[in-house]
Amino acid sequence: MVYGVSAIRLSCVPSVYRFSQSSFNGARRSSSFSLLLKKDQFSRKIFAQKSSYDSDSSSLTVTASEKVLAPGGQGDGSSSLTGQLESPSTISDDPQVTHDVDGNEMEDDEKVEVEEQESVPSALANNDEEACNEEPSVPLHMKVSTEKSEAKPRSIPPPGAGQKIYEIDPTLLGFREHLDYRYAQYKRMREAIDKYEGGLEVFSRGYEKLGFTRSETGITYREWAPGAKSAALIGDFNNWNPNADIMSQNEFGVWEIFLPNNADGSPPIPHGSRVKIHMETPSGIKDSIPAWIKFSVQAPGEIPYSGIYYDPQEEEKYVFKHPQPKRPKSLRIYESHVGMSSTEPIINTYANFRDDVLPRIKRLGYNAVQIMAIQEHSYYASFGYHVTNFFAPSSRFGTPDDLKSLIDRAHELGLLVLMDIVHSHASNNVLDGLNMFDGTDGHYFHLGSRGHHWMWDSRLFNYESWEVLRFLLSNARWWLEEYKFDGFRFDGVTSMMYTHHGLEVAFTGNYNEYFGFATDVDAVVYLMLVNDMIHGLYPEAVTIGEDVSGMPTFCLPVQDGGVGFDYRLQMAIADKWIEILKKRDEDWKMGNIIHTLTNRRWLEKCVAYAESHDQALVGDKTLAFWLMDKDMYDFMALDRPSTPRIDRGIALHKMIRLITMGLGGEGYLNFMGNEFGHPEWIDFPRGEQHLPNGSVIPGNNCSYDKCRRRFDLGDADYLRYRGMQEFDQAMQHLEAKYGFMTSEHQYISRKNEGDRMIVFERGNLVFVFNFHWINSYFDYRVGCLKPGKYKIVLDSDDPLFGGFNRLDHNAEYFSTEGWYDDRPRSFLVYAPSRTAVVYALVEDEPEAVGKPEPVQKIETVEEEAEAVEELEPRKESEPLEG
């Protein structure tokens, strides 16, 4: 998470679009314009023009009432949304009966029957019998032709008892009143959704009714804006005339209009043309981007974005070609940002990321790519966390179809694609975001101070609101359904779960901190609902929650009483490494490192990381910069002498990452470029920002120089960065081969403060870390569980990884019987200083039995050279750098 700055942002970002009409910058009644993608950046062009019919054509001169009452039923004045997608024969005459609405992919036997209700509180309620005359409407998203396997029934299981959490963690019994109340609220919401909406499966398809939906006869547009006094749809298609297409409102605050096709059968709103909703609100007249818009762009010379009606011809739509990969047992995540993924100081594109970065991720050994900043955000420097248009992929990087092509290519490579989704808050922009959308403060958000995040300068959702739940649940499903994302990393979950948002609060692990009046139960219930929906409809999907508080039950199934995430992002580890790196080597405590890496809840999986994008931002430092600082500028070339600081930094950089992966969790994450110790920091292009209090935040002259990733440094065989990249690649492939992160066997046999040694087992691997800055140990005994022969499978001292080549990789290590460090067996190793070595059990090999021998401590370079020569006579030892 990054923090924004208040007020409207003056973007320094050059748009990827060129508009052919200069009138786009001012007059909103321009007769036509073309929206063109920059040359050679994208695979297709978007043309946004007015209909071939003039403004006085019949299709554009139909009065508002005629459009609402248009033949064909789509604009008959009905406020009904439920039933919109059904044929007349399936709609009851009783306006109080709701029906399940299934998309084209669903079989008839998958439909949910809903009993007749007394009342329907939903904004999508069927409350007009004239809706029975409507023709079936096909939602825009269903028009996308995709190659798919035989349809399988998808359903969301009913709520369970919610009691298993007490068996898993008996400590929770002391907080049963709170937890049972939380689960009761969740069940109450599930029952209400079943009663009034036909179930969570139907409820989470709000994009089929709200926003723009296309049918054979025209386009229907609906918007929930209860605070608006009047509304009209405006855009290039009607020369931005607020009197041309007046919308009608139903009793639940949903505004609606139907636009019939043009006389030639073409759609009334051309693909690629700009649209907005014009509203008279309690705060005055405003033109807003539709809340459910699927694409938006920023025109040159304009600050706010404009909504784009995105509906390309069938032959232009991207068709998915590759199946989604199965969820891997262990996650190795490459965190990335499309815009800054180029080696050049530019905004990169979906297409370039697809062609250049995805193969790199695959080669490095990662099995998942987590992409940030997908949801549209008008302020580039927010890192994508100040979302303005929740259903629209960022237009800076290309078109929606370009994004689909990227995801399909990742699936072809066997990579999961996880989206960094933001449901914890929203941009406070009024002109192009959700803030004050209908002119009221509490539309999508809490009223007053509770609806504002004082540190992030953003708006906070009201998770108790029915329509907010529809919006967010549908948003999560939209990205899974339309774009084939394989899951999410939910941002800012700690902020959601507590009314204090985790700010200025030190979580100590006391359960009173989690279950009390500071807990936002409505937000937790939403998280339970969204996890329920995702895992019910997409069983292979992955959900990761960014929680720093350590909330118990966070990663336990909803049916058992948990919040339902698959993984918790283990944020404390990165903070611990920064804390340690500020100390002298002599002050590092092995026990403290071990405690932080292993301090996680039983049966709750975690994604560990040594550093993420947070540490790479301007104002902070990456691990590499903490370790090597300014020496990185002058001493990373192999044809120049190294320095003690560089030698120390490269050695510890490798050790920190390996021990984090080895002990920190069941998944691992790395931010792009950090695998090779990317120099410097991330600084988005920005100009000066003038705050309301009169203060000025200086900019960087809108420079992109530090908003890119220098992958060429990691690839250069003449730079020391290459060694760190090679080590990270070997580390990922080691986990892929042995699966040690998810092994049930984990045992820490040694954490010696005097020797600075850490030894642990995971699966059939034995990890040996020597954090001592000078001492190397010959014949150092390490405990093990299984008997047999062990061999080196990863050595951070390998010259390929920038090491000093002090170990013989052909050596074999045989276990001996006898208890050592509480292990039934042990073997002898050579442990060079500042080195991490992984030993693997060689199966089906005879074991050698011997007696334990005392450890020989080596304190000088001369003693080490003699010991190495004795152990490895074929190699010459190299002196250690201090």
Side-chain angles (χ1 to χ4, degrees):
M1 170 55 63
V2 293
Y3 306 121
V5 183
S6 62
I8 294 178
R9 284 84 180 183
L10 296 176
S11 174
C12 301
V13 183
S15 174
V16 297
Y17 302 103
R18 294 190 182 124
F19 296 84
S20 63
Q21 298 293 331
S22 60
S23 60
F24 187 84
N25 292 333
R28 307 196 63 181
R29 294 174 177 266
S30 59
S31 60
S32 66
F33 74 97
S34 294
L35 177 58
L36 302 180
L37 301 176
K38 277 189 175 179
K39 182 179 180 182
D40 299 330
Q41 282 193 330
F42 302 105
S43 59
R44 59 181 56 84
K45 295 181 179 180
I46 299 177
F47 296 92
Q49 300 176 335
K50 197 190 70 175
S51 169
S52 58
Y53 287 81
D54 294 333
S55 60
D56 59 351
S57 67
S58 60
S59 66
L60 292 180
T61 56
V62 178
T63 65
S65 60
E66 287 175 330
K67 290 187 177 181
V68 171
L69 300 175
Q74 286 301 313
D76 58 1
S78 168
S79 57
S80 166
L81 298 188
T82 300
Q84 172 213 343
L85 305 181
E86 306 197 27
S87 63
S89 61
T90 65
I91 301 177
S92 168
D93 289 334
D94 188 343
Q96 296 180 344
V97 178
T98 61
H99 298 268
D100 177 61
V101 183
D102 282 273
N104 295 343
E105 296 181 10
M106 307 300 291
E107 301 294 338
D108 291 338
D109 57 2
E110 296 176 53
K111 297 184 179 180
V112 181
E113 295 184 0
V114 184
E115 296 181 357
E116 182 174 331
Q117 312 300 337
E118 293 182 358
S119 61
V120 182
S122 167
L124 300 188
N126 185 352
N127 62 356
D128 194 323
E129 295 184 8
E130 292 184 16
C132 299
N133 298 320
E134 293 187 359
E135 292 185 3
S137 170
V138 180
L140 176 61
H141 89 285
M142 300 302 290
K143 290 278 189 178
V144 178
S145 58
T146 61
E147 184 179 282
K148 54 182 180 291
S149 58
E150 183 180 352
K152 297 180 180 179
R154 295 189 294 182
S155 62
I156 302 170
Q163 300 297 300
K164 193 174 181 180
I165 55 173
Y166 304 118
E167 301 174 22
I168 296 171
D169 185 359
T171 308
L172 295 172
L173 288 169
F175 303 87
R176 188 163 196 158
E177 183 178 358
H178 176 98
L179 289 165
D180 284 352
Y181 170 77
R182 183 178 84 182
Y183 202 73
Q185 291 296 100
Y186 153 76
K187 291 180 69 175
R188 180 185 66 82
M189 189 60 68
R190 279 291 304 270
E191 291 167 359
I193 292 172
D194 289 346
K195 180 178 180 180
Y196 298 121
E197 299 286 350
L200 195 54
E201 194 279 328
V202 179
F203 190 51
S204 60
R205 286 191 276 124
Y207 48 79
E208 294 182 353
K209 304 181 183 73
L210 287 155
F212 292 94
T213 57
R214 176 79 180 278
S215 71
E216 294 182 357
T217 57
I219 296 173
T220 301
Y221 169 59
R222 299 183 180 95
E223 195 74 70
W224 177 61
K229 301 175 183 177
S230 65
L233 180 62
I234 57 175
D236 294 302
F237 74 98
N238 64 5
N239 287 326
W240 301 91
N241 182 356
N243 299 313
D245 298 295
I246 306 298
M247 304 176 70
S248 61
Q249 185 185 34
N250 73 8
E251 61 184 294
F252 300 107
V254 173
W255 296 88
E256 176 179 354
I257 189 171
F258 173 73
L259 304 177
N261 288 336
N262 296 323
D264 63 351
S266 62
I269 305 177
H271 162 61
S273 59
R274 297 170 298 168
V275 290
K276 287 191 176 183
I277 180 172
H278 176 85
M279 292 177 286
E280 179 187 359
T281 77
S283 302
I285 301 294
K286 70 189 297 280
D287 297 342
S288 295
I289 296 177
W292 298 70
I293 198 71
K294 305 306 188 298
F295 195 47
S296 63
V297 301
Q298 184 182 37
E302 289 193 358
I303 296 175
Y305 276 55
S306 292
I308 299 295
Y309 179 74
Y310 194 84
D311 184 19
Q313 296 294 319
E314 289 296 324
E315 59 272 16
E316 295 180 3
K317 294 178 180 178
Y318 187 83
V319 178
F320 284 94
K321 305 175 183 65
H322 305 285
Q324 294 177 248
K326 298 293 184 181
R327 183 202 301 204
K329 189 174 182 182
S330 57
L331 278 179
R332 300 184 301 277
I333 303 170
Y334 197 80
E335 185 184 30
S336 58
H337 184 287
V338 172
M340 66 172 62
S341 62
S342 173
T343 57
E344 301 299 322
I346 60 173
I347 295 179
N348 209 8
T349 66
Y350 294 125
N352 288 342
F353 189 93
R354 175 197 65 207
D355 297 338
D356 301 334
V357 182
L358 287 179
R360 168 184 294 274
I361 297 171
K362 178 66 175 180
R363 185 183 73 249
L364 288 173
Y366 293 86
N367 59 16
V369 54
Q370 177 181 301
I371 307 181
M372 310 168 62
I374 290 295
Q375 294 165 292
E376 189 60 89
H377 48 291
S378 63
Y379 185 42
Y380 189 44
S382 73
F383 229 136
Y385 290 121
H386 280 208
V387 176
T388 44
N389 310 122
F390 281 77
F391 289 82
S394 180
S395 59
R396 289 183 179 88
F397 318 135
T399 69
D401 289 286
D402 290 332
L403 175 58
K404 292 177 182 179
S405 176
L406 182 161
I407 294 171
D408 199 26
R409 172 59 174 153
H411 291 163
E412 181 184 9
L413 293 171
L415 298 172
L416 295 189
V417 186
L418 307 178
M419 176 177 162
D420 198 342
I421 196 169
V422 184
H423 283 182
S424 51
H425 64 139
S427 168
N428 68 358
N429 286 13
V430 173
L431 296 180
D432 50 17
L434 293 180
N435 188 20
M436 303 288 291
F437 183 84
D438 68 349
T440 63
D441 184 53
H443 184 199
Y444 282 93
F445 311 107
H446 284 294
L447 290 166
S449 61
R450 190 182 176 190
H452 293 264
H453 197 294
W454 62 266
M455 179 174 284
W456 295 345
D457 186 34
S458 55
R459 296 305 311 270
L460 300 173
F461 286 106
N462 177 6
Y463 301 102
E464 188 180 13
S465 166
W466 190 269
E467 293 306 316
V468 170
L469 289 178
R470 186 197 308 277
F471 181 83
L472 295 176
L473 289 168
S474 299
N475 184 243
R477 186 168 180 183
W478 168 255
W479 295 108
L480 296 173
E481 190 77 22
E482 180 72 8
Y483 290 90
K484 310 301 180 189
F485 277 98
D486 301 292
F488 301 109
R489 176 253 197 201
F490 280 82
D491 175 71
V493 175
T494 301
S495 173
M496 296 173 66
M497 294 192 299
Y498 307 97
T499 55
H500 52 60
H501 311 302
L503 301 177
E504 300 179 343
V505 175
F507 290 98
T508 65
N510 187 312
Y511 279 30
N512 288 293
E513 298 166 349
Y514 307 117
F515 310 119
F517 292 114
T519 305
D520 189 335
V521 174
D522 294 328
V524 177
V525 167
Y526 164 69
L527 294 172
M528 296 167 74
L529 289 170
V530 74
N531 275 299
D532 232 4
M533 182 272 293
I534 292 171
H535 292 129
L537 299 177
Y538 309 90
E540 293 294 321
V542 176
T543 60
I544 304 168
E546 186 199 33
D547 171 40
V548 72
S549 73
M551 164 72 80
T553 76
F554 190 75
C555 294
L556 294 178
V558 175
Q559 287 201 339
D560 296 339
V563 182
F565 284 100
D566 294 308
Y567 296 87
R568 183 200 313 274
L569 204 60
Q570 188 71 311
M571 303 174 69
I573 295 175
D575 294 338
K576 175 57 67 174
W577 284 124
I578 299 301
E579 174 189 319
I580 290 174
L581 289 176
K582 294 178 180 179
K583 300 178 180 179
R584 303 179 308 156
D585 289 9
E586 296 88 335
D587 297 327
W588 289 28
K589 299 298 181 184
M590 303 299 102
N592 191 14
I593 294 173
I594 292 295
H595 173 76
T596 301
L597 290 172
T598 58
N599 184 26
R600 54 187 184 272
R601 301 188 183 281
W602 184 48
L603 296 181
E604 298 196 40
K605 295 184 291 186
C606 292
V607 172
Y609 61 95
E611 55 183 338
S612 70
H613 69 272
D614 285 329
Q615 287 71 39
L617 286 170
V618 62
D620 207 335
K621 289 183 180 181
T622 62
L623 291 182
F625 231 78
W626 276 108
L627 289 163
M628 294 176 276
D629 204 53
K630 62 182 180 180
D631 281 22
M632 295 181 73
Y633 293 114
D634 300 312
F635 300 101
M636 293 300 284
L638 289 172
D639 62 355
R640 301 188 64 178
S642 182
T643 67
R645 178 179 286 173
I646 291 294
D647 291 340
R648 171 184 180 267
I650 291 176
L652 289 177
H653 190 271
K654 294 178 288 186
M655 295 180 72
I656 287 171
R657 302 175 85 78
L658 180 58
I659 197 171
T660 299
M661 175 182 252
L663 283 178
E666 294 72 29
Y668 179 80
L669 177 142
N670 166 67
F671 179 66
M672 62 178 186
N674 287 350
E675 67 273 11
F676 61 83
H678 197 289
E680 298 185 319
W681 53 88
I682 297 169
D683 193 9
F684 283 88
R686 51 194 167 83
E688 285 189 350
Q689 295 187 0
H690 298 262
L691 302 183
N693 61 9
S695 60
V696 177
I697 298 178
N700 62 2
N701 294 320
C702 296
S703 171
Y704 287 80
D705 184 62
K706 291 181 173 58
C707 193
R708 54 176 169 157
R709 294 281 92 180
R710 294 291 306 275
F711 293 120
D712 54 312
L713 299 178
D715 293 341
D717 55 10
Y718 55 87
L719 296 177
R720 291 183 167 87
Y721 296 107
R722 177 69 176 268
M724 291 189 282
Q725 178 169 285
E726 291 288 345
F727 179 79
D728 190 85
Q729 177 172 318
M731 187 172 75
Q732 304 304 323
H733 284 281
L734 180 76
E735 205 290 323
K737 180 177 180 179
Y738 290 96
F740 59 80
M741 284 197 299
T742 54
S743 170
E744 294 182 0
H745 174 63
Q746 175 178 311
Y747 191 90
I748 301 166
S749 59
R750 173 162 291 232
K751 43 184 177 181
N752 189 294
E753 301 294 350
D755 296 342
R756 309 290 186 189
M757 292 289 296
I758 293 176
V759 181
F760 62 88
E761 304 161 24
R762 210 154 182 193
N764 284 345
L765 301 181
V766 178
F767 294 73
V768 179
F769 291 80
N770 181 1
F771 280 96
H772 205 286
W773 52 98
I774 295 177
N775 293 344
S776 298
Y777 305 104
F778 178 65
D779 281 353
Y780 198 89
R781 185 166 295 281
V782 298
C784 65
L785 174 64
K786 295 184 178 181
K789 181 174 69 177
Y790 289 81
K791 297 195 70 173
I792 294 174
V793 291
L794 184 63
D795 169 21
S796 69
D797 203 44
D798 191 312
L800 177 65
F801 310 142
F804 294 109
N805 198 23
R806 288 173 284 177
L807 288 171
D808 181 2
H809 294 174
N810 294 316
E812 297 177 339
Y813 304 84
F814 294 90
S815 66
T816 59
E817 298 295 324
W819 286 90
Y820 188 80
D821 283 348
D822 290 327
R823 311 311 289 145
R825 298 165 186 90
S826 60
F827 58 92
L828 298 175
V829 301
Y830 172 49
S833 61
R834 285 193 183 129
T835 301
V837 184
V838 183
Y839 299 86
L841 176 67
V842 180
E843 302 284 3
D844 302 324
E845 291 280 356
E847 59 175 305
V849 180
K851 294 183 179 181
E853 298 179 11
V855 174
Q856 174 186 347
K857 186 174 183 180
I858 301 173
E859 296 184 340
T860 67
V861 173
E862 291 74 21
E863 290 176 352
E864 177 180 50
E866 294 175 4
V868 171
E869 185 174 353
E870 180 181 349
L871 182 66
E872 307 166 24
R874 291 170 294 174
K875 290 187 177 290
E876 294 182 4
S877 63
E878 295 184 28
L880 288 174
E881 299 291 344

